[in-house]
Amino acid sequence: MRKIWTILIMVAIISLAGCSSNKGDVAGDELYIPEGYEEKLKALDLTEVAALPYFSSPFITVAEDQSGQQYAVLFDKSGEVRQERLSLKYDEIIDSLQRKGYKIDQAPNKLNLHLFEINHNLYWSYSDGEASVYLDGKGNEADPFKKEETN
């Protein structure tokens, strides 16, 4: 009987060790941040304002040029880098959310502000665990998943 228990325990330990050493990528297990993106920003003569990483491509960062104009800079996994001029600055989006009553006065809440590319458009997404909202590039509340009605 002792021999059976010993074998069962060894099999369990080996199984657990095998699971923990799995190095395969699983969707959502780490943020996508492209290597060397800071150097690419410098080459574009842009300064990072806020990095907004997420678990999938594209990686998006807000950056500004020497005149203060801000851009969303999108880094695709393919290596392509795209820039989109922002109508509102990062701080203006935060101010807009605060005016709408969202509590963004603590640093951890600011981390819940993301910029996503959805259906080829950029949307700001904010969620604090109690409320969530999407804003279009002009700071207006929007539903990026709403399907257009066709007549």
Side-chain angles (χ1 to χ4, degrees):
M1 187 70 168
R2 182 178 275 183
K3 197 174 199 177
I4 293 173
W5 279 109
T6 304
I7 292 172
L8 286 173
I9 291 171
M10 289 177 65
V11 168
I13 290 171
I14 291 169
S15 296
L16 288 174
C19 290
S20 65
S21 66
N22 181 4
K23 301 275 191 229
D25 290 336
V26 177
D29 66 346
E30 68 179 56
L31 295 173
Y32 169 64
I33 302 173
E35 201 171 302
Y37 85 90
E38 292 104 339
E39 288 79 22
K40 291 179 182 176
L41 283 177
K42 287 179 186 174
L44 294 168
D45 205 22
L46 296 173
T47 303
E48 186 170 68
V49 173
L52 304 167
Y54 203 65
F55 299 101
S56 60
S57 175
F59 168 75
I60 302 176
T61 185
V62 175
E64 67 182 10
D65 62 19
Q66 291 178 351
S67 72
Q69 173 61 53
Q70 291 188 355
Y71 300 87
V73 185
L74 297 85
F75 295 84
D76 291 314
K77 280 196 174 186
S78 67
E80 180 183 1
V81 179
R82 298 175 282 138
Q83 276 180 235
E84 287 198 33
R85 185 179 175 158
L86 295 175
S87 299
L88 296 175
K89 292 184 175 191
Y90 181 74
D91 290 338
E92 292 172 327
I93 290 293
I94 291 172
D95 292 344
S96 172
L97 287 165
Q98 288 175 326
R99 282 192 307 275
K100 294 175 190 282
Y102 295 97
K103 300 172 186 169
I104 310 181
D105 53 357
Q106 299 177 16
N109 284 351
K110 284 187 180 182
L111 298 178
N112 289 329
L113 179 63
H114 297 282
L115 187 57
F116 293 117
E117 182 182 44
I118 302 171
N119 296 324
H120 306 290
N121 294 305
L122 293 175
Y123 292 93
W124 293 97
S125 171
Y126 174 77
S127 177
D128 64 5
E130 295 177 20
S132 62
V133 65
Y134 284 95
L135 303 177
D136 64 16
K138 295 179 181 176
N140 300 314
E141 289 190 33
D143 181 357
F145 305 106
K146 183 178 179 181
K147 294 187 180 192
E148 295 293 322
E149 292 184 26
T150 56
N151 293 337

